[in-house]
Amino acid sequence: MIMSRIEAARDETTGNLLDRLLAGLPAETVLTGPDVTASYANDMASFCESGAPAVVVLPRTVEQVQHVMRTATDLRVPVVPQGARTGLSGAANASDGCIVLSLTKMDRILEISPVDRIAVVEPGVVNATLSRAVGEHGLYYPPDPSSWEMCTIGGNIGTASGGLCCVKYGVTAEYVLGLDVVLADGRLMSTGRRTAKGVAGYDLTRLFVGSEGSLGIVVRAVLALRPQPPQQLVLAAEFPSASAACDAVCRIMEGGHVPSLLELMDRTTVKAVNGIAHMGLPETTEALLLAAFDTPEPGADLAAIGALCEAAGATQVVPADDPAESELLLQARRLSLTALEAVKGTTMIDDVCVPRSRLGELFAGVERIAEKQGLTIGVVAHAGDGNTHPTVCFDATDPDESRRARESFDEIMALGLELGGTITGEHGVGILKKEWLAREIGPVGLEMQRAVKAVFDPLGILNPGKLF
Amino acid sequence: MIMSRIEAARDETTGNLLDRLLAGLPAETVLTGPDVTASYANDMASFCESGAPAVVVLPRTVEQVQHVMRTATDLRVPVVPQGARTGLSGAANASDGCIVLSLTKMDRILEISPVDRIAVVEPGVVNATLSRAVGEHGLYYPPDPSSWEMCTIGGNIGTASGGLCCVKYGVTAEYVLGLDVVLADGRLMSTGRRTAKGVAGYDLTRLFVGSEGSLGIVVRAVLALRPQPPQQLVLAAEFPSASAACDAVCRIMEGGHVPSLLELMDRTTVKAVNGIAHMGLPETTEALLLAAFDTPEPGADLAAIGALCEAAGATQVVPADDPAESELLLQARRLSLTALEAVKGTTMIDDVCVPRSRLGELFAGVERIAEKQGLTIGVVAHAGDGNTHPTVCFDATDPDESRRARESFDEIMALGLELGGTITGEHGVGILKKEWLAREIGPVGLEMQRAVKAVFDPLGILNPGKLF
């Protein structure tokens, strides 16, 4: 009896919300069936709670986004912005009764300028679509998260995504020059610029990058582009220990080299890859380092770092002769996460970034944690950045193993902080790492961050429960 | 009688302030003589009002800065942070009765790590000192404002400074990874990281970069470094018109080239340089373009862009054969502002940045403005970035000429905005461009920026009257 009264009240609320939304939106942009809305409840993070959205809206225009936010403000309804939901921290997970605001249908590339080296895009443009489109003009949009064939630029901006290229080209944040943002109350604000430089006022553009939809809704972005570099050439080096491979990474970076990719896979990951594919990796490999250069003379650069790898103890160094061979060498890296998933059925991917001088200690520490917890933890790393993805493999149907997985995940973050690192190099905080954010930035930082949030979202309707 | 009562009251206030400051500061860090304090009243901007500081404090430690800010908060006294006061927008100008907080004595380089490619510094380190120190480790700190031999890293961070290298290496903002900041109430906050990547929470680091001392006092910075590039080789190209030179700039950037410097001087500037030095520049030069490459094969790169210059109508193209010849070619550029100052005794240097595809229109527009106002305006530009410094030459003792100078300065900013640009590419807003900031970012942006300011400075004691 009580339940049905609550249900009725809730329906009335939802009904009112729907009426208000539909007053300013075409019917086809508003999805309400519980099966449909439930399919928008999650991103790709494990272990993060999610609720049942009241409604999913897929706007096509800035005005429609403004209408949604005005409605949400009037009715005090939470709004959860979403891109392709490939995130790994639960930042796009729905909360009960929320409006899911999916920006995937605002997917136009509005402008590409080779002279100004910029692109102007809507948030729903898929990363790979943009990359290919600018490629036709001889241009390059570097940020390349693993999910680049699916993830959207809006999502990349929300999480400040990284990728393999960051060691040379930096992260999403470096490529966002200006934004149009719909604020919580529906007003439109422009930040930044479309020029190469600009210092007029506070850098609100950067404040929005990585804010996980908690400050406003990005509806348009001006992105910086680079000239397309030459195709990269890859080298693979096998090491007798992760420590020796980390030493090679330090020598390479200390030597002033600028690789376009510098990735490291530990023994566990190599074994896992061998378990699902025949890549020709020796079972004795304790660590595999992949380096690439997209310079005019990549062969010479590879030879130089090959020598550094050997000095650090590499047992085999294999430079590719051409792009096709390079692709082959990268396949083991590409298969890593799939291979680690196959180990136990479920994985928790951590994202700890440490100063690269501490990389060896991170690898050693993760090995200790895996041993102590009796778990398989494979480490794949954007080694040149010190950004590691220790990946805990476990059986999610086994409660004790799940508990140990969760524990080791936390222990890895504690280790990262202890080594002067951060709890997240590129995946973001979302729901998954809220408590850890507080530990990393401390009480004063947290107070200031919350106060900044309150400036843009005084009613707390923008992606509540994320970050803090 | 009334005056002397006011004076006495003011003395009492100042006396109380001094007592409170001296309770936590060594006597030698506190300067009070009116002659001495007056010498800290200004930065290098023309046309900006300044007041008489009550006291100048030169702290040596973070704790001393915290004591100053606690005192200022308790007594509601405005604080004006200063570096070397080489700024060009009045952002470091004192206000009446303020505490000038000069960070120049906190000038230690705390750490340089070649493996992590970072430096950790106090705010008073001079840019050139840091550049030389990291150079000894084979490292490179790119931001190079013209004042680099004098200006401090803290000042560079406050104004988000640029320089000649930005066309390839970006501005100060790209090199600030983390900050320690003393807040208005004296609490210490750390932002950012010392890792290559990191997305834990809002990017408050970037919010502080370019905030002109209005949000907090930077007392320590973690800076990103790059490997030292090869020495650059320079090419000079003479054009029959500014428009042809701007066309060459567009062709170079559209062609995918990445020069380490791409500077443009107009006819007025070339003539002014000829007026004070014998650089061998023909009096018929209508525009002089300087380009440089610090690539492994700069000769080949210079040849490629030399051809583009010729295609755009260059009448002469002179590539340097070695670094010494390169330096010679750059001297004309280095003399530009001194030469323009010599024209009429006083200059107002504007700092408009436009999309580089609009550079030709900017040069043409400035010429129209100069003609209309009957003034000499020379334009020196970081052409590769679209960042121009139209420099109005005038006789400051002539009220009518001063008025016309001021008018043309404003007309240039209006032109910049009209061309899709910004009112400041690298010099900042300060006092000089407050009204123009409001015009550029609009009422919603302004409201949000003010609200962010209020979060960090609820009492309005941090560099009041700047930016807004």
Side-chain angles (χ1 to χ4, degrees):
Chain A
M1 185 62 184
I2 287 169
M3 271 312 289
S4 68
R5 259 200 312 238
I6 290 173
E7 284 303 305
R10 188 172 155 185
D11 280 352
E12 205 177 296
T13 309
T14 306
N16 185 25
L17 171 61
L18 286 179
D19 291 346
R20 290 287 300 272
L21 286 173
L22 286 165
L25 295 170
E28 70 272 17
T29 63
V30 181
L31 308 180
T32 52
D35 289 356
V36 178
T37 56
S39 72
Y40 284 82
N42 291 94
D43 65 16
M44 288 172 66
S46 316
F47 285 108
C48 291
E49 71 270 20
S50 65
V55 57
V56 174
V57 182
L58 294 129
R60 265 72 170 174
T61 68
V62 173
E63 291 69 25
Q64 289 173 4
V65 175
Q66 292 184 280
H67 176 72
V68 171
M69 292 313 304
R70 274 193 297 264
T71 305
T73 285
D74 286 353
L75 303 180
R76 310 288 195 265
V77 178
V79 174
V80 177
Q82 290 183 347
R85 293 182 291 121
T86 53
L88 292 162
S89 67
N93 281 11
S95 50
D96 275 331
C98 78
I99 300 170
V100 161
L101 186 58
S102 171
L103 283 308
T104 50
K105 301 288 185 191
M106 291 180 69
D107 61 353
R108 290 179 303 160
I109 297 174
L110 302 170
E111 185 186 342
I112 296 172
S113 166
V115 171
D116 294 329
R117 290 186 186 164
I118 59 168
V120 183
V121 303
E122 291 185 333
V125 172
V126 169
N127 181 302
T129 306
L130 176 66
S131 294
R132 291 189 186 110
V134 305
E136 283 171 27
H137 296 269
L139 292 165
Y140 176 42
Y141 178 69
D144 60 344
S146 303
S147 57
W148 75 298
E149 290 280 8
M150 285 177 285
C151 64
T152 64
I153 296 298
N156 295 170
I157 292 171
T159 52
S161 310
L164 300 186
C165 73
C166 304
V167 62
K168 178 163 183 179
Y169 294 104
V171 296
T172 298
E174 334 260 11
Y175 295 91
V176 185
L177 297 177
L179 294 173
D180 282 358
V181 177
V182 174
L183 298 176
D185 60 12
R187 287 186 298 170
L188 188 63
M189 177 176 75
S190 289
T191 72
R193 55 190 208 267
R194 50 179 292 141
T195 51
K197 290 155 85 179
V199 292
Y202 301 138
D203 191 345
L204 298 188
T205 305
R206 281 302 184 97
L207 194 63
F208 276 90
V209 177
S211 65
E212 301 187 352
S214 68
L215 299 178
I217 312 294
V218 170
V219 290
R220 205 184 65 113
V222 183
L223 303 174
L225 305 172
R226 286 175 170 266
Q228 188 94 272
Q231 262 200 306
Q232 64 182 9
L233 222 51
V234 177
L235 168 148
E238 283 168 41
F239 288 86
S241 67
S243 153
C246 292
D247 179 30
V249 169
C250 291
R251 287 172 191 241
I252 291 167
M253 300 308 281
E254 193 174 17
H257 298 282
V258 185
S260 53
L261 171 153
L262 193 55
E263 297 286 313
L264 182 50
M265 296 158 61
D266 72 349
R267 169 180 52 190
T268 306
T269 309
V270 170
K271 275 196 212 312
V273 170
N274 277 340
I276 64 159
H278 299 285
M279 308 289 304
L281 300 174
E283 277 292 314
T284 53
T285 301
E286 292 288 313
L288 184 71
L289 187 67
L290 297 164
F293 285 85
D294 59 3
T295 47
E297 298 275 6
D301 289 311
L302 289 186
I305 65 149
L308 291 176
C309 287
E310 277 162 3
T315 49
Q316 211 188 340
V317 173
V318 184
D321 284 328
D322 55 49
E325 223 176 285
S326 292
E327 267 312 292
L328 221 62
L329 290 176
L330 286 181
Q331 275 188 20
R333 169 64 183 87
R334 296 233 171 82
L335 278 175
S336 298
L337 292 179
T338 312
L340 288 168
E341 256 167 43
V343 173
K344 282 279 195 162
T346 309
T347 52
M348 275 191 94
I349 306 170
D350 216 326
D351 173 43
V352 167
C353 190
V354 296
R356 63 177 79 86
S357 57
R358 314 297 296 271
L359 203 55
E361 292 166 78
L362 193 280
F363 272 81
V366 171
E367 209 172 312
R368 275 198 310 277
I369 292 166
E371 203 168 312
K372 178 187 131 194
Q373 296 283 4
L375 288 169
T376 300
I377 306 178
V379 185
V380 191
H382 308 308
D385 290 320
N387 189 187
T388 67
H389 296 310
T391 304
V392 186
C393 307
F394 65 103
D395 176 357
T397 65
D398 178 336
D400 187 63
E401 203 164 297
S402 298
R403 181 190 54 76
R404 282 180 283 133
R406 181 80 222 198
E407 255 179 50
S408 54
F409 189 82
D410 283 351
E411 284 168 356
I412 291 165
M413 281 189 280
L415 173 65
L417 290 183
E418 198 185 305
L419 295 174
T422 171
I423 56 154
T424 175
E426 58 183 10
H427 293 173
V429 174
I431 294 172
L432 193 61
K433 298 186 170 182
K434 284 198 294 188
E435 288 160 39
W436 284 93
L437 176 66
R439 282 176 69 163
E440 176 165 338
I441 66 179
V444 180
L446 197 65
E447 181 187 323
M448 289 299 145
Q449 297 230 350
R450 280 179 186 280
V452 168
K453 158 83 172 168
V455 163
F456 291 93
D457 184 22
L459 302 174
I461 59 168
L462 277 166
N463 214 8
K466 313 299 162 59
L467 276 167
F468 307 115
Chain B
M1 184 63 184
I2 287 171
M3 270 312 287
S4 69
R5 259 201 311 239
I6 290 173
E7 283 303 306
R10 191 173 153 184
D11 279 352
E12 204 178 299
T13 309
T14 305
N16 185 23
L17 170 62
L18 287 179
D19 290 346
R20 291 287 300 271
L21 286 173
L22 286 166
L25 295 170
E28 70 269 20
T29 63
V30 181
L31 309 180
T32 52
D35 288 356
V36 178
T37 57
S39 72
Y40 285 82
N42 290 94
D43 65 17
M44 288 172 66
S46 315
F47 286 109
C48 291
E49 72 270 20
S50 65
V55 56
V56 175
V57 183
L58 294 127
R60 264 72 169 174
T61 68
V62 174
E63 292 68 29
Q64 289 173 5
V65 175
Q66 292 184 280
H67 176 71
V68 171
M69 292 314 304
R70 275 192 298 264
T71 305
T73 285
D74 285 353
L75 303 180
R76 308 289 195 265
V77 179
V79 174
V80 177
Q82 291 183 346
R85 293 182 289 121
T86 53
L88 292 163
S89 66
N93 281 11
S95 49
D96 273 333
C98 78
I99 301 170
V100 161
L101 186 57
S102 171
L103 283 308
T104 49
K105 299 289 184 189
M106 290 179 69
D107 61 355
R108 290 179 302 160
I109 298 174
L110 303 171
E111 186 188 342
I112 295 173
S113 166
V115 171
D116 295 329
R117 289 185 187 164
I118 58 170
V120 183
V121 303
E122 291 186 332
V125 173
V126 169
N127 182 301
T129 307
L130 177 66
S131 295
R132 291 189 187 111
V134 304
E136 283 172 27
H137 297 269
L139 293 164
Y140 176 42
Y141 178 69
D144 61 345
S146 303
S147 57
W148 76 298
E149 291 279 8
M150 285 176 285
C151 64
T152 64
I153 297 298
N156 295 170
I157 291 171
T159 52
S161 309
L164 300 186
C165 73
C166 304
V167 63
K168 179 164 183 178
Y169 295 104
V171 296
T172 298
E174 333 260 10
Y175 295 90
V176 186
L177 297 177
L179 294 173
D180 282 357
V181 177
V182 173
L183 298 176
D185 60 12
R187 288 185 297 170
L188 187 64
M189 178 176 76
S190 290
T191 72
R193 55 189 208 268
R194 50 179 291 141
T195 52
K197 290 155 84 178
V199 292
Y202 301 137
D203 191 346
L204 298 188
T205 305
R206 282 303 184 95
L207 194 63
F208 276 91
V209 177
S211 64
E212 301 185 353
S214 68
L215 299 178
I217 312 295
V218 170
V219 289
R220 206 185 64 113
V222 183
L223 304 173
L225 305 172
R226 288 174 168 266
Q228 188 94 273
Q231 262 201 305
Q232 64 183 9
L233 222 53
V234 177
L235 168 148
E238 283 169 41
F239 289 86
S241 66
S243 153
C246 292
D247 179 30
V249 169
C250 291
R251 287 173 192 240
I252 290 166
M253 299 309 280
E254 193 174 18
H257 298 282
V258 186
S260 53
L261 172 154
L262 192 55
E263 297 287 312
L264 182 51
M265 296 158 61
D266 72 348
R267 168 180 51 190
T268 306
T269 309
V270 171
K271 275 196 211 314
V273 170
N274 277 341
I276 65 160
H278 300 285
M279 309 289 305
L281 300 174
E283 277 292 315
T284 53
T285 302
E286 292 288 314
L288 184 71
L289 188 66
L290 297 164
F293 285 85
D294 59 3
T295 48
E297 297 275 6
D301 289 311
L302 288 186
I305 66 150
L308 291 175
C309 287
E310 277 162 2
T315 48
Q316 211 188 342
V317 173
V318 184
D321 284 326
D322 55 50
E325 222 176 285
S326 293
E327 267 311 294
L328 220 61
L329 290 176
L330 286 181
Q331 276 188 21
R333 169 64 183 86
R334 296 233 172 83
L335 279 175
S336 297
L337 292 179
T338 312
L340 288 167
E341 256 167 44
V343 173
K344 281 280 194 162
T346 309
T347 52
M348 275 191 94
I349 307 170
D350 216 326
D351 173 41
V352 167
C353 190
V354 296
R356 64 177 77 85
S357 56
R358 315 297 296 271
L359 203 56
E361 292 166 80
L362 194 279
F363 271 81
V366 171
E367 208 172 313
R368 275 198 310 275
I369 292 166
E371 203 167 314
K372 178 186 132 196
Q373 297 283 4
L375 288 169
T376 300
I377 306 179
V379 185
V380 191
H382 308 309
D385 290 321
N387 190 186
T388 67
H389 295 310
T391 304
V392 187
C393 307
F394 66 102
D395 177 355
T397 64
D398 179 336
D400 188 63
E401 203 164 298
S402 298
R403 181 191 54 75
R404 283 179 284 133
R406 181 81 223 198
E407 254 178 50
S408 54
F409 190 81
D410 283 350
E411 285 168 355
I412 291 165
M413 280 189 280
L415 174 64
L417 290 183
E418 198 186 306
L419 295 175
T422 171
I423 56 155
T424 174
E426 58 183 10
H427 292 173
V429 175
I431 294 172
L432 193 62
K433 298 186 171 182
K434 284 198 293 188
E435 288 160 40
W436 284 94
L437 175 66
R439 282 176 69 161
E440 176 166 338
I441 66 179
V444 181
L446 198 64
E447 181 188 323
M448 289 298 146
Q449 298 229 349
R450 280 179 186 279
V452 168
K453 158 83 172 168
V455 162
F456 291 92
D457 184 22
L459 302 174
I461 58 169
L462 276 167
N463 214 5
K466 315 296 162 60
L467 277 167
F468 307 117

